[in-house]
């Protein structure tokens, strides 16, 4: 039941509560004898939901008292179920926030796309640059095809007390929709790292797809874009080509593409 959607949970509770009110009202009316159906249902509903002013005590005999006590016990059960549903939904939403299922609402921040063994050193350099010269203002959002909890662990371990706010999002950087979750188009600086574990040709193709997705998402104009290559001649050439294309595409918007080479 707790795995159902919220609407399904509400309907499931109502499917239990409504028959309880109907059966309880019928039983209470039979026990009292001189009670209207409307009064019996109202009494049962009040006791079931513990409404203010309701009471399980009755001056109409033992049978009526027994019915009301049973309805009250059923009400405790339904209340516990409703409380469990609310608690489960809150826990699910908190878990979704923790896992990064919501878009980042930032502007003029820094976005790091892809993940490799040099991601953490790059973030550490950003933290140093920020503390010494005030660069990289705002948070740094890392979007990579990697488990969010694993990224969060590494960031927390290596950047503790660095003063740099790092937000991670798990997703494919080559998809515009995923980049929108990181607000990549609104970033001041975009750092495109070399994708880990790919050959020079495949890595360059992936980076080209990521840059294309960045442009599709509305980015590049007036952004500073840093492209990391794998350090090979072919990868350096491909990175240089991508940089030239970016500069040409944004020749009227002061676009600057920075290049750096490094291993996987």
């Amino acid at each position: 039941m707790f795995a159902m959607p919220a609407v399904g949970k509400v309907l499931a509770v109502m499917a239990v509560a409504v028959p309880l009110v109907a059966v309880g009202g019928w039983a209470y009316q039979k026990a009292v004898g001189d009670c209207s159906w409307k009064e019996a249902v109202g009494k049962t509903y009040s006791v079931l939901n513990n409404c203010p002013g309701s009471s399980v005590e009755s001056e109409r005999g033992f049978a009526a008292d027994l019915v009301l006590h049973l309805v009250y016990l059923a009400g405790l059960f339904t209340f516990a179920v409703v409380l469990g549903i609310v608690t489960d939904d809150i826990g699910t939403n908190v878990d979704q926030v923790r896992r990064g299922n919501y878009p980042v609402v930032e502007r003029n921040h820094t976005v790091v796309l892809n993940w490799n063994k040099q991601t953490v050193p790059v973030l550490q350099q950003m933290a140093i640059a920020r503390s010494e010269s005030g660069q990289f203002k705002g948070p740094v959002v890392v979007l990579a095809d990697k488990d969010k909890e694993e990224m969060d662990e590494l960031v927390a371990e290596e950047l503790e007390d660095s003063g740099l706010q790092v937000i991670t999002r798990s997703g494919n950087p080559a998809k515009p929709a995923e980049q929108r979750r990181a607000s990549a188009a609104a970033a001041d600086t975009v750092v495109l790292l070399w994708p880990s574990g790919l050959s020079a040709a495949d890595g360059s193709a992936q980076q080209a797809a990521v840059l294309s997705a960045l442009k599709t998402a509305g980015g590049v104009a007036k952004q500073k874009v840093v492209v990391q290559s794998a350090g090979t001649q072919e990868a350096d050439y491909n990175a240089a080509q991508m940089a030239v294309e970016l500069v040409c595409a944004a020749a009227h918007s002061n676009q600057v593409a920075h290049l750096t080479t490094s291993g996987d």
Side-chain angles (χ1 to χ4, degrees):
M1 179 177 178
F2 290 103
M4 297 170 61
V7 176
K9 295 174 183 178
V10 173
L11 292 177
V13 172
M14 290 181 63
V16 175
V18 171
L20 277 174
V21 172
V23 173
W26 174 81
Y28 182 75
Q29 185 184 35
K30 291 295 183 182
V32 173
D34 60 345
C35 175
S36 67
W37 170 250
K38 180 179 179 181
E39 182 183 352
V41 170
K43 181 72 173 180
T44 305
Y45 175 84
S46 299
V47 172
L48 180 70
N49 295 286
N50 198 20
C51 296
S54 63
S55 174
V56 295
E57 297 179 358
S58 174
E59 299 178 357
R60 301 191 178 189
F62 173 77
D65 285 342
L66 179 62
V67 170
L68 292 181
H69 276 83
L70 291 176
V71 170
Y72 178 75
L73 292 177
L76 292 179
F77 170 75
T78 55
F79 175 76
V81 172
V82 171
L83 184 62
I85 290 173
V86 173
T87 303
D88 181 68
D89 283 348
I90 292 175
T92 300
N93 289 331
V94 170
D95 188 60
Q96 286 180 337
V97 172
R98 183 175 61 83
R99 291 177 179 273
N101 292 333
Y102 292 100
V104 174
V105 184
E106 294 288 346
R107 296 191 66 84
N108 300 321
H109 56 301
T110 301
V111 172
V112 178
L113 302 173
N114 288 332
W115 183 284
N116 58 38
K117 67 180 181 181
Q118 293 186 338
T119 301
V120 171
V122 166
L123 294 175
Q124 290 171 333
Q125 291 298 317
M126 288 181 180
I128 294 172
R130 179 172 181 170
S131 62
E132 293 183 352
S133 59
Q135 299 181 55
F136 301 105
K137 296 179 181 179
V140 177
V141 180
V142 180
L143 174 64
D145 196 3
K146 187 178 180 68
D147 182 69
K148 175 177 168 56
E149 293 185 8
E150 186 179 350
M151 290 190 288
D152 286 339
E153 268 184 36
L154 291 170
V155 169
E157 181 180 343
E158 300 294 338
L159 293 169
E160 186 178 6
D161 300 325
S162 67
L164 185 69
Q165 181 187 0
V166 180
I167 303 170
T168 63
R169 289 291 182 267
S170 180
N172 185 354
K175 294 183 177 180
E178 298 294 337
Q179 292 202 26
R180 291 189 184 99
R181 287 204 303 124
S183 293
D188 177 69
T189 303
V190 177
V191 180
L192 175 55
L193 298 179
W194 182 260
S196 179
L198 297 183
S199 64
D202 291 340
S204 296
Q206 194 268 359
Q207 286 188 318
V210 172
L211 290 177
S212 176
L214 176 62
K215 289 187 285 185
T216 301
V220 172
K222 297 185 179 180
Q223 289 181 309
K224 295 184 286 292
V225 180
V226 181
V227 181
Q228 180 190 41
S229 75
T232 64
Q233 184 176 1
E234 180 184 359
D236 287 347
Y237 175 76
N238 291 332
Q241 269 193 323
M242 285 185 280
V244 170
E245 289 175 4
L246 282 175
V247 171
C248 293
H252 302 291
S253 58
N254 301 318
Q255 170 66 39
V256 179
H258 300 273
L259 297 179
T260 183
T261 58
S262 186
D264 184 55

